[in-house]
Amino acid sequence: MIHRRRLGGLLLLAACTSGDRPLHRAREDPSLRLGDSLYQAQQYDSARVIFLSGLARARTAGDTLLQARFLTELGLAWYRLGNLPESRRVLEEDIGLKARLSIRDVTLSRSLNALGLVARDEGRHTEAVALFERALLTARSADDPAAIARAAGNLGLPLASLGEHTRARAAYRELRSAGQRLGNPRYEGNGVLNEAMLDVWEGDAPTAIARLDTALVIYRASGNRTGEQFALGQLASAWELAGEYNRALALLDSALSLARELELAGEVADNLRLIAGLHSEAGDWRRALRYYEQADSLLRAARYEGMRGAILRGAASAYLALGNPRRARLDAEEALRLHVRSGEALEQLDDLLLLTELDSTRPADAERHLMEARRIVARLDTRITRLTMTVADARAAERRGDATRALGLVNAAAPTLGPGDLWAEWQLFAVAARAANKLRRPDSAVVLGRRAVQAIERQRGNMGSEILRRTLITDRADVYGELVVTLLRLGRNDDAFAVADGARSRGLLEHFSAVRTTGPEPDLRRGDELLRRIDLLMRRLREVEPTTPRERGVTRDSAALLLDQQLAAARTEYEALATRTARDGSRASSLLGARPPRLAEVQAALTLDEVLLEYFLTSERLIVFVVGRDQFRVVERRLDVAVLRHRIELLRDLWSNAQGNWRSGLPVAQALEAILVAPVREHGLIAGHRRILLVPHGILGQVPFAALHDAETGRFLVEDFALSHLPSAASLSALRNSVTGRSLKDEAGVGLAPFPHKLPASAGEVRAFGAARSGAGTLFGREATEQAIRAALGGSGPVHVATHGTLNVRNPMFSRIELSPPGRLTGADNDGRLEVHELMGLTIRSPLVFLSGCETGAGQAWADDPIRGTADLTLAQAVLSAGADNVISTLWRIRDGGAAAFAARFYTWLQRGGASLALAQAQREMIADPAYSNPFYWAGYILSGEGRFGESPKSGITASVPLSKALLSVPANPRRTP
């Protein structure tokens, strides 16, 4: 769906000049001249104050002609400031006063024009047409060419919204010609700009872009910044239509900044709506919803009813995607009501098609909406509306089970698709692929499925932000899944593996390659401003409500309500800025999605004792690709993904705290083992190996695989295998190439314990790291600053940080590692909070980073679809992204004493073998220790990365090595209150 911009009508009013004076000569007033100059300089609030003061004096003096003049100007100022109710009240008083005074001159036309635009923005398009026609008639009676041009151009606005494009186009061309004759660049630019938007509405992106470039030249040459704002925003819609989402977002950012600077409330809201639409197109539904809510809040304050419908529909689409159909229906029905009242045909079409999706279980209602939509399409008869209807009809045919019709519709539409129709192309060919499968034509289904995937990939390529690219792929996960299943049915397992891993690497973790290069200068300045504001709010929060976590972190920031809300809003804006300015450039681009994996390369990167399990979820089955040095097999099983999700959530709930009898979770761990591991084990595919490399999909990334329990043997998975996680199968060879030659003899590394008094065991933990790493630096308290950890991460040795970790649920890019603040703050890079967005911008050279804090590997798994998985960054992912070869992190909150006991065991074993084997041995020892056998203390630790740091060819650790006794003295009681 193309997110159309409304036409830029309020530009036309700024074209008035001092020549627009009443025929009944009013006494000249200095306030009029001053107010007019401020208005022309686009200082609308200052102009409003001057006009109000002048109106009061005119009323005191009983000068009705002067009152009328001030009312006109005041109505325009209120309109510019976005206060439609006040503008309507003032303009209606103005027109009534002129009627009593029998004023029929050009200023009446101007007042009628202004009220027409108010009516149009209120969604009263029929009333707006009548007002503009009266304005045009009055202007012709006064024989004023400028007023005639202005009224004619404005008349095109509601005509376009009502679907009368031919009349609207003629009006805009008349306006442009008048502007050229009168030497008025404002009129000329407006005529070009509004005709360009008709081109967008009709699906002609190249013509629209050419016209809008012309309009920009005209506006900039004449210093018309309001016109420039409109042209930038409308150019964004044209580039979106062309499929160039990156350009569209950049243009909208510029338009939004300019609209805010000029205090154009309606345009701020419209730009926010369009930004939300692009995030929706990318599948970033939660962020889109935030933008829709911001825009709706602005419009409610200004009572811009005419724009609210499109925002409500956008929010409805987001709610539907996020699993809230009830709220989606309420918003969609309200949007349709508003658009029926205003008579906006194109908007009604989109409303009806969304309601068709919502009525998928009510065929009669769905067909009724489709019939109404078809009538609108027949009346408008543009390429874009016909294509939109074809997509809806194909999806409807699929829901009815009519695969033949669905396939026929797609085949008929395919030749008409253009380069900018990617939004329709992927949907049509995804429907066609499913239809071909239903008709038992798997070869055709593969061809059609690849066409759908290729369209998604081209969409992805047109999004400059890797974060948006990631969300785009995750939102289209079912298209990849359908193709994977079809390829497997045809026995093309290698191809299926490549598609599955490609979806994973280009989708779920593509944020690894985000925010590694600088954005445009205005973005940098705005980002700095936001960070400074965030720092100020954080300092105020600490003053108002200091927080002392009970353990190594809390699940969310705690603060006084008002400051907390302001902080969340500032963080949200910064996240959005970072998302839109992110570009390619990190080494992760080579790890994730540069090309599909070659099976031979993946196998060559494995050792003989390793097996790689790549999991791929579809809506009905689990597929496991099993890759060994000399084997490749595929295991499938049908499952209910909702049941899978509930079991994962239940296990985490039971074992992510130390309360109660942990053995009550064993049946759940056994049920998950039966789903995820038993099918592979029963085929003998992991026998003879000692290490498993996991590539989980979607919600499986939050599974504590180490604690999966075999009911027959009574053993946890980690008791038989060392485990590590990878972002994709394709990343394995790249990761291992990057660590060639690294060993334990490299730089000793650095350990940091910023809060040894609040977290007493953290000091012992870092001392254990230092004892195991001869020559390692150990930093405690005030020495363990953010600057210190930045320097350590840039070195070539391991880094261990024992501190608070904070998962920020509302703003994941602000999840953080807490460090000691310096005595005197020196900037955001040394404020004691190393946050995800900062980690993503670092260059990390450390081969191993151990994040011994709470939830450093956790994400908002439960807020997302089980297949698509979490869309949020974690601290561990950000560290791996920035260059670390291995990261140890936690899936849930940990306790101080337990964390120290675990780390001591890990580093003792790391001296004798690689990272994944040392982690496994530490977990095995914790299992055997009655003080720590509860999975809460050991199951939440996961290793992400290549897994072999510190390993020599003659490593002495094997899966059968007997568990050692207590290696270091650690407290038996794990509970410590800082």
Side-chain angles (χ1 to χ4, degrees):
M1 180 186 299
I2 297 301
H3 301 89
R4 293 179 297 273
R5 187 175 183 85
R6 66 191 185 104
L7 294 166
L10 64 91
L11 292 173
L12 300 178
L13 288 174
C16 68
T17 67
S18 58
D20 291 323
R21 295 290 185 233
L23 294 180
H24 295 269
R25 188 172 182 80
R27 177 176 61 83
E28 287 297 335
D29 188 289
S31 296
L32 277 176
R33 290 195 298 273
L34 176 58
D36 276 346
S37 66
L38 290 169
Y39 184 93
Q40 295 297 332
Q42 300 170 5
Q43 298 178 35
Y44 302 119
D45 195 49
S46 298
R48 176 190 64 83
V49 173
I50 297 298
F51 293 143
L52 270 173
S53 175
L55 177 62
R57 290 197 306 274
R59 282 178 169 157
T60 300
D63 189 335
T64 54
L65 291 178
L66 195 57
Q67 286 181 52
R69 180 63 171 150
F70 274 118
L71 285 168
T72 304
E73 304 303 331
L74 183 59
L76 294 175
W78 277 124
Y79 179 70
R80 287 295 198 177
L81 292 168
N83 191 328
L84 297 187
E86 194 62 19
S87 180
R88 173 176 281 276
R89 184 190 67 77
V90 170
L91 289 169
E92 285 178 344
E93 181 183 350
D94 171 33
I95 292 169
L97 182 58
K98 285 173 179 172
R100 291 195 299 275
L101 295 172
S102 300
I103 295 176
R104 298 287 188 270
D105 64 9
V106 72
T107 61
L108 176 60
S109 174
R110 186 160 180 262
S111 300
L112 291 166
N113 259 317
L115 188 56
L117 287 171
V118 171
R120 185 232 175 201
D121 281 356
E122 291 173 335
R124 305 176 183 183
H125 293 280
T126 303
E127 177 189 343
V129 169
L131 286 165
F132 290 138
E133 286 177 339
R134 284 179 59 194
L136 182 58
L137 181 62
T138 304
R140 283 176 174 156
S141 298
D143 194 24
D144 188 307
I148 292 170
R150 187 164 58 247
N154 277 342
L155 179 59
L157 302 174
L159 289 174
S161 296
L162 293 169
E164 297 188 40
H165 290 190
T166 302
R167 288 182 64 193
R169 193 178 292 275
Y172 299 144
R173 288 181 176 175
E174 181 179 347
L175 178 64
R176 180 181 186 180
S177 297
Q180 291 170 335
R181 288 194 309 271
L182 297 169
N184 188 320
R186 197 180 300 269
Y187 286 3
E188 182 182 0
N190 291 348
V192 176
L193 179 142
N194 284 341
E195 185 174 5
M197 280 315 298
L198 285 181
D199 297 327
V200 171
W201 289 13
E202 293 174 0
D204 187 353
T207 302
I209 291 167
R211 291 193 207 277
L212 289 165
D213 285 341
T214 300
L216 264 177
V217 170
I218 294 170
Y219 289 136
R220 285 171 173 166
S222 61
N224 185 347
R225 302 185 72 220
T226 305
E228 181 180 352
Q229 186 279 144
F230 269 92
L232 289 169
Q234 295 185 356
L235 193 56
S237 291
W239 279 114
E240 181 194 357
L241 178 63
E244 294 284 346
Y245 303 102
N246 184 32
R247 290 195 184 193
L249 272 171
L251 288 162
L252 282 173
D253 273 336
S254 299
L256 179 61
S257 296
L258 195 50
R260 282 174 169 157
E261 183 182 337
L262 297 172
E263 298 181 331
L264 303 175
E267 295 314 305
V268 169
D270 205 29
N271 287 316
L272 288 171
R273 175 182 69 84
L274 292 169
I275 291 171
L278 283 170
H279 281 279
S280 296
E281 187 62 30
D284 192 357
W285 295 105
R286 282 187 295 175
R287 200 181 305 274
L289 194 55
R290 292 176 193 170
Y291 281 115
Y292 284 127
E293 288 171 348
Q294 288 179 44
D296 192 46
S297 177
L298 283 172
L299 293 186
R300 282 179 178 274
R303 300 186 187 178
Y304 269 63
E305 286 296 307
M307 292 174 58
R308 283 199 67 228
I311 289 172
L312 288 170
R313 183 183 61 246
S317 296
Y319 281 121
L320 180 60
L322 293 171
N324 190 346
R326 178 174 296 182
R327 176 62 185 273
R329 179 175 295 281
L330 289 173
D331 282 356
E333 289 176 345
E334 176 65 7
L336 180 60
R337 185 189 69 78
L338 290 171
H339 290 141
V340 167
R341 189 181 73 181
S342 66
E344 294 174 89
L346 275 170
E347 300 294 346
Q348 290 177 52
L349 173 63
D350 289 342
D351 298 338
L352 289 166
L353 295 182
L354 176 57
L355 285 167
T356 299
E357 295 287 332
L358 285 163
D359 285 332
S360 58
T361 59
R362 299 188 287 188
D365 290 339
E367 185 57 32
R368 175 171 56 82
H369 292 315
L370 279 174
M371 289 181 65
E372 292 177 29
R374 290 188 191 106
R375 283 195 288 270
I376 292 174
V377 170
R379 176 159 62 89
L380 297 175
D381 194 30
T382 65
R383 191 188 75 85
I384 202 74
T385 55
R386 291 193 298 270
L387 184 56
T388 302
M389 195 69 238
T390 299
V391 173
D393 280 334
R395 291 170 66 92
E398 181 183 25
R399 286 193 296 271
R400 292 194 304 269
D402 191 346
T404 301
R405 174 163 172 72
L407 201 55
L409 286 165
V410 175
N411 288 336
T416 70
L417 293 171
D421 296 331
L422 299 176
W423 61 275
E425 186 175 345
W426 78 263
Q427 294 184 75
L428 287 171
F429 283 98
V431 168
R434 292 190 292 267
N437 267 324
K438 188 167 185 178
L439 295 170
R440 299 185 179 180
R441 303 174 190 171
D443 290 320
S444 296
V446 168
V447 173
L448 295 165
R450 286 197 183 281
R451 178 81 182 267
V453 166
Q454 288 165 3
I456 293 170
E457 293 290 348
R458 291 202 303 278
Q459 268 191 309
R460 166 188 170 271
N462 289 339
M463 290 182 173
S465 164
E466 288 296 336
I467 297 175
L468 288 183
R469 294 181 185 186
R470 169 183 54 85
T471 57
L472 177 83
I473 302 299
T474 58
D475 190 59
R476 317 285 194 258
D478 57 335
V479 181
Y480 288 85
E482 184 79 22
L483 180 56
V484 167
V485 171
T486 305
L487 287 166
L488 290 174
R489 295 293 170 269
L490 290 170
R492 296 167 59 177
N493 293 357
D494 289 16
D495 290 341
F497 175 61
V499 172
D501 196 62
R504 165 73 176 172
S505 64
R506 286 190 292 273
L508 297 179
L509 292 179
E510 265 206 357
H511 47 258
F512 278 9
S513 53
V515 195
R516 300 304 309 281
T517 59
T518 57
E521 193 64 30
D523 295 327
L524 294 178
R525 287 199 300 270
R526 181 58 181 157
D528 288 343
E529 291 171 4
L530 286 167
L531 287 175
R532 284 196 295 271
R533 175 167 170 74
I534 288 165
D535 289 339
L536 176 62
L537 289 168
M538 283 294 295
R539 288 198 294 273
R540 288 180 179 173
L541 276 175
R542 287 171 174 169
E543 293 169 1
V544 172
E545 187 178 290
T547 300
T548 304
R550 290 185 301 114
E551 297 296 341
R552 296 223 180 166
V554 292
T555 55
R556 62 180 297 167
D557 293 323
S558 172
L561 181 59
L562 179 59
L563 285 174
D564 196 38
Q565 290 172 343
Q566 292 173 344
L567 179 63
R571 284 171 166 169
T572 297
E573 187 174 350
Y574 182 85
E575 283 185 314
L577 182 68
T579 296
R580 294 195 296 275
T581 58
R583 299 292 183 269
D584 294 327
S586 77
R587 67 114 185 213
S589 293
S590 65
L591 299 183
L592 302 174
R595 56 180 171 78
R598 291 190 176 94
L599 180 60
E601 288 182 1
V602 176
Q603 290 178 313
L606 293 166
T607 61
L608 289 172
D609 68 344
E610 292 177 324
V611 61
L612 182 147
L613 305 182
E614 173 147 357
Y615 290 89
F616 191 81
L617 284 170
T618 75
S619 58
E620 297 179 343
R621 56 173 50 84
L622 172 69
I623 301 167
V624 187
F625 296 94
V626 184
V627 185
R629 185 67 179 259
D630 54 6
Q631 71 169 336
F632 176 59
R633 293 279 299 277
V634 181
V635 176
E636 292 185 65
R637 63 165 294 167
R638 297 187 70 84
L639 57 74
D640 184 332
V641 292
V643 171
L644 175 67
R645 173 180 178 150
H646 292 151
R647 286 177 177 169
I648 296 171
E649 183 175 1
L650 178 58
L651 184 64
R652 285 174 54 100
D653 285 346
L654 291 170
W655 283 354
S656 63
N657 64 80
Q659 306 303 316
N661 182 1
W662 66 267
R663 296 183 182 278
S664 63
L666 283 176
V668 186
Q670 290 165 359
L672 284 172
E673 197 273 347
I675 295 171
L676 300 175
V677 180
V680 177
R681 187 186 65 246
E682 290 165 2
H683 284 82
L685 301 178
I686 55 177
H689 299 89
R690 63 173 178 164
R691 292 188 287 201
I692 296 176
L693 282 64
L694 300 162
V695 185
H697 183 204
I699 201 173
L700 298 182
Q702 298 296 308
V703 172
F705 274 89
L708 298 187
H709 196 259
D710 186 340
E712 293 184 9
T713 65
R715 294 170 67 81
F716 293 105
L717 186 62
V718 75
E719 293 184 87
D720 296 317
F721 303 95
L723 307 173
S724 58
H725 288 63
L726 288 168
S728 69
S731 69
L732 179 63
S733 58
L735 280 166
R736 288 197 165 163
N737 288 338
S738 73
V739 299
T740 300
R742 287 188 180 177
S743 72
L744 284 173
K745 295 180 181 180
D746 288 342
E747 186 180 327
V750 179
L752 302 95
F755 307 108
H757 299 297
K758 294 180 180 178
L759 302 173
S762 66
E765 188 175 331
V766 169
R767 290 190 185 100
F769 168 81
R773 306 284 300 165
S774 178
T778 53
L779 303 175
F780 303 94
R782 292 184 179 275
E783 296 178 323
T785 63
E786 185 179 346
Q787 270 189 352
I789 195 174
R790 285 172 178 264
L793 291 170
S796 60
V799 175
H800 183 97
V801 55
T803 185
H804 301 301
T806 299
L807 173 65
N808 191 315
V809 175
R810 283 179 297 183
N811 303 103
M813 286 179 68
F814 285 85
S815 294
R816 66 183 183 270
I817 302 166
E818 295 280 3
L819 286 306
S820 178
R824 188 166 64 89
L825 291 180
T826 57
D829 61 349
N830 194 31
D831 59 5
R833 304 188 309 274
L834 185 56
E835 295 165 326
V836 164
H837 67 91
E838 294 177 299
L839 283 164
M840 288 161 56
L842 296 180
T843 297
I844 295 178
R845 296 183 176 88
S846 172
L848 172 67
V849 180
F850 194 137
L851 300 176
S852 185
C854 292
E855 301 175 313
T856 51
Q860 295 186 58
W862 317 133
D864 300 301
D865 184 279
I867 298 173
R868 293 170 174 85
T870 180
D872 295 317
L873 303 170
T874 68
L875 287 162
Q877 289 167 353
V879 171
L880 192 64
S881 155
D885 300 318
N886 298 277
V887 182
I888 296 176
S889 58
T890 58
L891 291 176
W892 49 65
R893 296 177 65 186
I894 60 176
R895 286 192 175 171
D896 191 33
F902 189 90
R905 287 164 164 80
F906 170 76
Y907 285 112
T908 298
W909 281 105
L910 185 62
Q911 297 179 87
R912 302 169 58 182
S916 66
L917 295 171
L919 185 72
Q921 283 299 114
Q923 290 174 314
R924 293 164 189 165
E925 288 196 355
M926 298 289 274
I927 293 169
D929 187 334
Y932 300 114
S933 57
N934 187 333
F936 166 76
Y937 293 109
W938 55 267
Y941 289 93
I942 60 171
L943 169 67
S944 301
E946 58 86 28
R948 295 193 303 173
F949 168 70
E951 186 173 337
S952 68
K954 296 181 180 181
S955 172
I957 302 178
T958 68
S960 59
V961 170
L963 301 174
S964 66
K965 301 300 181 182
L967 301 175
L968 291 174
S969 176
V970 293
N973 182 3
R975 182 182 296 276
R976 290 201 181 178
T977 303

